[in-house]
Amino acid sequence: METSTEHKLEEAPLRNEEVQEIMGRMPRGIVWWNVGITLAVVVLFLLGSQVFHSPAKMEIAITITAYPEPAALTSPMDGTLTACFVTNGADVQAGQAMAIVATDSDSALLKAPTTGRFEAERLYLGRHVSRGDTLLHIIPSRTSAPVCYGYVPAAMAADVQGGQEVRLRITGYPESDYGFIPGVIAHVASLPGANGAHYVEIQLPASLTTNNGKAIPFSYGMNGQAEIITGKDDTIKLFP
């Protein structure tokens, strides 16, 4: 007696032949319709790669400052602050006496290295200081326009060229609220620096105003990210 399993095995070839016979009777119109749809999708994809572009980008860390930068006065010795001749926020002249640091046997007079505004933190008489401690800053009264710079890794430097569009996003000023500051690549160093990267300078607008029309106040040492638009990638390249 044939088992149920043997009966199914004998029927399998018959069913396969039936399926093939049905497919063989499939109208040619349906077959050509499927082929046409496939070809149309491929053609549209290729055409789209010539029409639609997505910008190729890279991001680097940037700093915004102005020159000359604030001058820092440091303690030349371990000792105690025994005198301070200027108050915070006062205007001072180059060479003006600022403070005295002394020990039981020696003392040092700190003088302003440049003309500007005096700023200090925790500058009080009797304060114990160590050699190299920063005691105060002189903010220059005259500076250049803000300067923006960053460094591009050597392996990517060839993709960065003068005139390329840059979008600057400043730390502490979210793009969702402020937008970005538009800029342009002004200079790319031909040789890498000591850090192995190429120095890049970015030209800023006349004022630090974002694409949303919001002004960002300048401060020394501002930092953030620069998105450099290095070119355009075809869609076909983005979807290999």
Side-chain angles (χ1 to χ4, degrees), residues 87-106:
T87 58
N88 251 331
D91 292 329
V92 298
Q93 300 297 314
Q96 182 176 339
M98 299 285 100
I100 294 177
V101 174
T103 64
D104 293 338
S105 59
D106 198 5

Side-chain angles (χ1 to χ4, degrees), residues 1 4 23 39 47-48 63 78 90 98 119 121 129 132 144 147-148 152 174 185-186 204-205 212 220-221 237 240:
M1 178 183 291
S4 175
M23 293 180 64
L39 288 175
L47 289 175
T63 298
D78 295 341
M98 299 285 100
E119 287 192 4
E121 292 183 12
V129 296
S144 66
V147 175
C148 179
V152 174
I185 296 293
L204 298 170
N212 290 341
Y220 289 95
K237 291 182 181 178

Side-chain angles (χ1 to χ4, degrees), residues 1 16 24 36 43 66 75 95 97 116 119 124 130 146 160 163 180 191 213 226 237:
M1 178 183 291
N16 288 337
V43 169
S75 176
E119 287 192 4
Y124 55 88
S130 300
V160 182
F180 61 85
L191 297 175
K237 291 182 181 178

Side-chain angles (χ1 to χ4, degrees), residues 134-159:
T134 298
L135 301 181
L136 55 92
H137 289 88
I138 305 298
I139 310 301
S141 55
R142 292 186 178 181
T143 63
S144 66
V147 175
C148 179
Y149 67 89
Y151 292 89
V152 174
M156 305 169 68
D159 294 331

Side-chain angles (χ1 to χ4, degrees), residues 104-136:
D104 293 338
S105 59
D106 198 5
S107 64
L109 176 64
L110 303 182
K111 297 182 179 181
T114 186
T115 298
R117 187 178 71 254
F118 175 92
E119 287 192 4
E121 292 183 12
R122 300 193 310 113
L123 197 64
Y124 55 88
L125 299 183
R127 174 186 168 187
H128 294 285
V129 296
S130 300
R131 180 184 179 90
D133 283 354
T134 298
L135 301 181
L136 55 92

Side-chain angles (χ1 to χ4, degrees), residues 58 60 150-160 185 188 196-200 228:
M58 74 166 66
I60 63 171
Y151 292 89
V152 174
M156 305 169 68
D159 294 331
V160 182
I185 296 293
V188 182
H198 291 250
Y199 173 83
V200 174
I228 304 172

